[in-house]
Amino acid sequence: MRPVFEKRGVSKPLTRMSSAIKSDRALPLDLLRFLTRERHRIHLVGVAGSGMSGIAALLIELGHTVSGSDKVSTTETERLQRLGLRFHEQHRAEVADAADLIVFSSAIRSDNPILVDARDWGKPTVRRAEALAAIMRSKRGIVIAGMHGKTTTSAMTAHALREGGLHPSHYVGAEIPILGTNAHWDPRGEYFVAEGDESDGTVALFEPEHTLILNIEEEHLDFYADLAAIEKVFGQLIAQTTGKVFYNIEDENAARVCRSFTRRISYGFADEADYRAVDIRLKDFTSTFRVNHRGQEIGEAVLNVPGQHNVHNALGVIALASELGIGFEKIAKSLAKFEHARRRFEIKYDSPRFLLVDDYGHHPTEIRATLKTARSVGRKRVLTMFQPHRYSRTKALRKEFGRAFDDAERVVVTDVYGSNEAPIPGVTGQMIVDEIATHGHRSVSYEPCLERVHRVVANMLESGDLVLSVGAGNIHEQLSVLAADLVIAEKLKAIVGEDGDVRLYEPLSKHTTLRVGGPAQFWVEPRDEQAFAKLIRFCRNENLQLFVIGRGSNLLVRDGGIRGVVVHPCGGNFDKIEINGAEITAGVGAKLKEVAYGAKAAGIGGLEWMEGIPGAVGGGLRMNAGAMGAQTFENIVRVRYLDADGEAYTKTRDELEVYYRNFPLLEKNFAVSAVFRGQPAPLEEIVRKLEASQEKRRTSQPAAKSAGCIFKNPDSCPAGKLVDELGLKNSRVGKARVSDVHGNFIVNDGGATAAEMLELIEMVKATALARRGIELETEVQIVGEPA
Ligand code: EPU
């Protein structure tokens, strides 16, 4: 049907065997020539991967017609499309029909339809590293290899060579702002700097002129049997290096592997290092150090990426660039300008109160180094959110992970990011939590739901904290959500000032008498009317939803919580009660019970019924709450409120429209205070009425956690009586139960969810309608989003 490859053919098969690549049944191919001296149609399978996208960029710059497929599109594939990539968001064989060569990622399985089809037609297929090795052979290759710090060091090398005027081409494993892209082909220069990937052994395919070995350690134990197997691959890379090998003298394994190689150059802090850093000064995000070459000082360097491990990396770059003939001045200048790769101690948010940093670290050694750096920044505490990466690594290095978090005050671990691996039974984030706890860490917790991790960390947040996200998966997205919300939270904090309080994701179950409800995105406590007015205006301008909550006694918040700003006016005048003759002025935050007892103290009667309402003045006004046959507005003289623009008004009772359990003005306006009126009464009478109210509550209402009456009383029959008559007392859904004391109360038996409450409410309503034809209406306010 479509033997395109055979019809078109490829350029002449090769003869130079050293670079011959054979795929299953394809002809040997001179890959170096094919990729760098000729122009072809090339298809990349798995093009969205960070390594593959770099190859795509190089091939486009080399003049090939490049197509690619992946199951996801990313900003990287979009960028490449602008450069000429033909992208397909599915791996269908037809999309690679016209290609002369298929390059595939190591994450692609051998039964991928494009690979299967290519093999059927005898079309050559090569691995990413094979393509990279061939491209590199056309230039003077420099490979940066090792377990940790490759991306940073290869980016730093390419940058130093570029600043040194050598026009290097480069290929590194991540987006590097200072280099522009993760890969670039520069026809003007002789050198090609590449990050070597040791994870699948393909680093041994390289035949570079120079190699820099950062460190060698147990890693990728899904691929390697042990450390010896890893060292063997590095040994092969060194043996294939035609020029010099640079190595970190402090790394025992690297030093051992390089020992027998004669053209070796060491770097590090030790006396015997060929290139040595001395007088290292670490301060915040900057390191300053002097460099000696075989005992001779060659100058001072300033590095604007944090951490001692980066001084080490920079020293490797200094050694390499110096040996290529670049003057120290130029190297030092380039280092001072160097900016970190994305996701390497990347600052996501920085204010005097909070510092949020993301790091790609996924190996215990990297995590320890990152935490050490975080600690050295000098904030009060380090809170860490960690997402283990790959089941195989999590399992193999569990003990080391257990010991890696000593420098963090708090650790929250989420579940494993599998990458392309299938789960291994029993290997979860909990396993790492257990290891960390067994090691003796006292504050480590597990949050299996990734989307909740930022909330758990935010609930611990205190001014002065550094929050770190660590992991090679997608944990950084959680930090970004936190950073975005923190920007708003800090503005809210500026509005409410020192006295006010702002909290992120405050659980509303803490602020409702029913003890259910998800988090408030922003929980804000203003202490005065001006701050409240400013909050109203801020929310309007920023398009943020604003919800006011008092004592939360008549509130059922859904399990997903409330998005936007939840204002809880309390403290200051909001909690004050002032008595003037028979008039009592109370702020919206004052409890109705306190108004009743304040009135008693001043010898004012008529407000005793308020004793029985668990809410605050604000809620009492909003609901026109009532008990003992009385209701709020019977005692109201004036109400002061803020409108949607934050303007303050005072209205008298006769100017206000009020209904049973409803004061509509407060649907769009916000009460600040109210003036109540009673009448002078003998103390004994007040006490008697207060006691009657208490007695009524004690004998007819449950003591358990509830939101007061759930339903409004229908005209025909009190709701409690109706529920009772329907025999629904003690009906339950989960931990939500119709009280056996009073039928209009639903109680939380401990740990009930809003979903359970709502299901029970619906059940009662449906039964009342079916059996008595009565449509019950909820009195309790139901707000928020489902979980
Ligand atoms: N009743 C039953 N079975 C029950 C509950 C009540 O037969 O399980 C009967 C009572 O015996 C009484 C009638 O129903 O004859 C009314 O009950 P209750 O006197 O307890 O008053 P209510 O209308 O249920 C109202 C308020 C309460 C307030 C009390 C006491 C409403 C919706 N509820 O309850 O307010 O505490 O009066 O003054 O108006 C609240 O609004 O959240 C609240 C608790």
Side-chain angles (χ1 to χ4, degrees):
M1 175 184 65
R2 15 173 202 93
V4 181
F5 169 70
E6 275 162 344
K7 265 194 248 157
R8 286 167 44 86
V10 274
S11 51
K12 270 199 178 144
L14 135 130
T15 42
R16 191 184 144 204
M17 283 319 287
S18 68
S19 55
I21 296 291
K22 275 191 189 168
S23 64
D24 293 355
R25 282 188 279 147
L27 300 166
L29 175 68
D30 180 347
L31 203 56
L32 182 151
R33 188 183 169 79
F34 185 96
L35 293 178
T36 64
R37 313 254 196 276
E38 301 168 353
R39 306 285 177 270
H40 292 279
R41 290 170 192 273
I42 302 174
H43 184 87
L44 289 89
V45 190
V47 71
S50 62
M52 288 295 280
S53 66
I55 300 287
L58 289 172
L59 293 175
I60 292 169
E61 288 181 305
L62 279 160
H64 298 286
T65 303
V66 183
S67 59
S69 51
D70 207 300
K71 60 177 192 265
V72 291
S73 68
T74 60
T75 48
E76 196 53 22
T77 55
E78 281 164 23
R79 186 183 70 80
L80 289 168
Q81 276 176 284
R82 288 195 291 277
L83 297 177
L85 173 80
R86 289 193 57 170
F87 178 67
H88 306 272
E89 209 173 319
Q90 252 181 351
H91 296 298
R92 280 182 293 110
E94 309 86 82
V95 303
D97 260 359
D100 305 321
L101 174 73
I102 308 292
V103 180
F104 62 98
S105 152
S106 49
I108 297 297
R109 288 164 41 151
S110 61
D111 61 355
N112 176 284
I114 298 175
L115 288 184
V116 170
D117 193 64
R119 279 198 297 268
D120 286 351
W121 293 109
K123 191 184 287 191
T125 60
V126 296
R127 289 179 290 174
R128 171 181 69 105
E130 290 169 323
L132 177 61
I135 294 171
M136 193 193 297
R137 270 200 303 277
S138 72
K139 294 223 183 223
R140 301 173 72 177
I142 296 172
V143 171
I144 313 295
M147 267 59 192
H148 322 298
K150 284 188 295 289
T151 300
T152 300
T153 313
S154 47
M156 222 185 254
T157 305
H159 171 66
L161 265 59
R162 193 186 269 186
E163 294 288 299
L166 297 183
H167 301 293
S169 298
H170 72 259
Y171 171 93
V172 299
E175 259 178 78
I176 310 292
I178 199 158
L179 294 176
T181 52
N182 57 350
H184 175 54
W185 179 260
D186 192 333
R188 294 170 298 176
E190 289 182 298
Y191 288 102
F192 188 104
V193 179
E195 170 179 339
D197 180 6
E198 76 288 346
S199 69
D200 54 2
T202 49
V203 74
L205 291 171
F206 296 127
E207 295 166 7
E209 184 168 317
H210 304 299
T211 294
L212 193 155
I213 310 275
L214 296 161
N215 38 57
I216 300 175
E217 207 186 339
E218 281 198 335
E219 200 3 356
H220 312 296
L221 295 173
D222 52 327
F223 182 79
Y224 295 104
D226 51 22
L227 184 64
I230 298 172
E231 290 186 359
K232 198 167 159 215
V233 166
F234 276 84
Q236 195 178 336
L237 171 66
I238 291 165
Q240 285 160 200
T241 302
T242 57
K244 295 171 181 165
V245 170
F246 300 81
Y247 70 99
N248 169 3
I249 200 164
E250 264 86 35
D251 189 273
E252 255 177 57
N253 299 333
R256 192 175 53 252
V257 171
C258 295
R259 199 167 42 206
S260 55
F261 191 82
T262 44
R263 296 180 307 278
R264 67 183 186 275
I265 293 179
S266 63
Y267 64 88
F269 305 146
D271 288 353
E272 62 274 25
D274 294 318
Y275 284 83
R276 182 175 173 227
V278 293
D279 190 17
I280 302 156
R281 283 146 285 156
L282 304 175
K283 191 173 171 288
D284 291 347
F285 293 99
T286 303
S287 315
T288 309
F289 54 98
R290 288 185 294 117
V291 183
N292 289 351
H293 178 222
R294 303 206 173 111
Q296 289 281 310
E297 171 149 347
I298 55 174
E300 186 173 81
V302 177
L303 189 63
N304 283 311
V305 288
Q308 183 149 309
H309 57 290
N310 278 318
V311 173
H312 232 277
N313 294 336
L315 205 53
V317 176
I318 291 170
L320 196 143
S322 301
E323 296 291 319
L324 296 186
I326 303 175
F328 184 81
E329 291 284 292
K330 274 192 183 162
I331 301 171
K333 221 167 145 189
S334 75
L335 290 179
K337 276 201 280 179
F338 181 74
E339 287 165 22
H340 237 301
R342 301 287 308 271
R343 304 223 45 215
R344 269 67 175 179
F345 216 83
E346 185 183 350
I347 296 173
K348 292 277 191 177
Y349 178 81
D350 185 3
S351 80
R353 281 156 52 82
F354 306 106
L355 181 63
L356 270 54
V357 178
D358 173 52
D359 195 273
Y360 189 69
H362 47 285
H363 184 281
T365 305
E366 294 163 352
I367 294 169
R368 266 199 305 275
T370 300
L371 282 172
K372 198 165 163 228
T373 306
R375 178 131 309 290
S376 71
V377 168
R379 299 278 170 140
K380 273 194 209 146
R381 304 188 307 174
V382 176
L383 316 184
T384 301
M385 45 172 105
F386 172 54
Q387 181 185 44
H389 185 254
R390 290 181 182 275
Y391 297 100
S392 55
R393 181 188 292 112
T394 307
K395 187 175 175 209
L397 301 177
R398 54 195 284 185
K399 294 274 174 246
E400 289 81 353
F401 279 118
R403 294 191 286 268
F405 292 89
D406 292 353
D407 271 322
E409 266 80 8
R410 301 279 184 102
V411 186
V412 179
V413 182
T414 190
D415 219 345
V416 182
Y417 182 88
S419 196
N420 55 350
E421 289 184 354
I424 302 174
V427 177
T428 64
Q430 180 68 56
M431 188 179 87
I432 297 300
V433 168
D434 294 343
E435 291 293 346
I436 298 172
T438 307
H439 173 64
H441 202 293
R442 289 226 282 272
S443 192
V444 54
S445 60
Y446 180 45
E447 175 48 71
C449 174
L450 178 70
E451 287 70 32
R452 289 206 193 122
V453 170
H454 71 286
R455 289 196 210 146
V456 177
V457 173
N459 287 155
M460 304 169 176
L461 207 55
E462 286 171 14
S463 186
D465 286 342
L466 185 158
V467 183
L468 189 66
S469 57
V470 225
N474 53 353
I475 186 79
H476 60 101
E477 292 166 3
Q478 287 295 295
L479 195 76
S480 297
V481 176
L482 179 58
D485 283 351
L486 210 48
V487 170
I488 296 172
E490 290 285 79
K491 289 183 183 166
L492 293 167
K493 176 67 184 160
I495 290 173
V496 298
E498 259 313 293
D499 293 344
D501 198 5
V502 175
R503 280 174 248 165
L504 276 176
Y505 324 125
E506 174 80 349
L508 290 172
S509 54
K510 276 168 68 177
H511 298 279
T512 56
T513 53
L514 198 51
R515 293 286 182 265
V516 300
Q521 191 180 9
F522 306 102
W523 171 266
V524 187
E525 295 181 8
R527 302 280 183 250
D528 56 47
E529 190 181 302
Q530 287 76 6
F532 196 171
K534 273 194 212 160
L535 284 174
I536 293 169
R537 286 192 283 272
F538 176 80
C539 290
R540 191 195 51 191
N541 294 343
E542 300 284 321
N543 240 335
L544 282 164
Q545 188 186 306
L546 185 154
F547 182 79
V548 181
I549 171 169
R551 296 269 151 197
S553 59
N554 192 45
L555 208 54
L556 173 43
V557 180
R558 292 193 183 89
D559 300 312
I562 301 180
R563 282 202 72 74
V565 175
V566 175
V567 176
H568 179 56
C570 64
N573 279 340
F574 290 128
D575 286 355
K576 264 207 190 118
I577 295 175
E578 274 174 2
I579 301 182
N580 194 350
E583 283 190 1
I584 302 178
T585 305
V588 278
K591 290 181 188 161
L592 288 170
K593 198 182 282 289
E594 288 165 355
V595 176
Y597 284 95
K600 173 194 159 201
I604 301 170
L607 301 171
E608 299 83 356
W609 63 271
M610 287 186 180
E611 171 291 330
I613 309 270
V617 169
L621 291 172
R622 171 70 189 90
M623 292 309 298
N624 184 20
M628 307 296 284
Q631 52 186 6
T632 305
F633 273 83
E634 289 166 13
N635 295 101
I636 286 292
V637 183
R638 287 186 297 280
V639 174
R640 184 170 170 83
Y641 65 91
L642 298 167
D643 74 359
D645 295 320
E647 297 295 332
Y649 297 88
T650 302
K651 291 251 163 90
T652 55
R653 169 67 187 90
D654 52 0
E655 295 174 283
L656 302 168
E657 203 183 313
V658 182
Y659 304 97
Y660 167 68
R661 298 291 180 267
N662 187 15
F663 175 35
L665 181 90
L666 295 187
E667 277 165 22
K668 296 215 166 68
N669 302 277
F670 310 94
V672 176
S673 63
V675 179
F676 297 85
R677 190 201 294 275
Q679 56 284 317
L683 188 61
E684 313 80 73
E685 186 188 317
I686 298 173
V687 170
R688 187 171 42 74
K689 285 189 180 163
L690 283 170
E691 282 173 359
S693 170
Q694 284 164 353
E695 180 63 10
K696 165 91 182 171
R697 255 190 311 119
R698 206 175 48 74
T699 52
S700 68
Q701 295 182 3
K705 294 175 185 78
S706 77
C709 285
I710 287 286
F711 301 105
K712 291 180 181 173
N713 280 337
D715 292 337
S716 52
C717 170
K721 189 158 185 277
L722 173 65
V723 173
D724 195 355
E725 286 169 4
L726 289 169
L728 294 176
K729 280 181 164 178
N730 267 333
S731 312
R732 65 161 68 239
V733 175
K735 295 283 184 188
R737 181 171 59 86
V738 176
S739 166
D740 52 349
V741 182
H742 191 300
N744 201 5
F745 284 67
I746 292 183
V747 296
N748 180 353
D749 279 338
T753 63
E756 290 169 351
M757 291 284 166
L758 290 166
E759 199 183 322
L760 191 54
I761 290 171
E762 283 314 310
M763 188 275 279
V764 172
K765 280 170 90 169
T767 312
L769 186 62
R771 307 235 316 258
R772 297 282 287 274
I774 298 176
E775 268 190 64
L776 281 174
E777 213 185 306
T778 42
E779 173 184 308
V780 69
Q781 253 191 300
I782 300 167
V783 297
E785 296 175 21

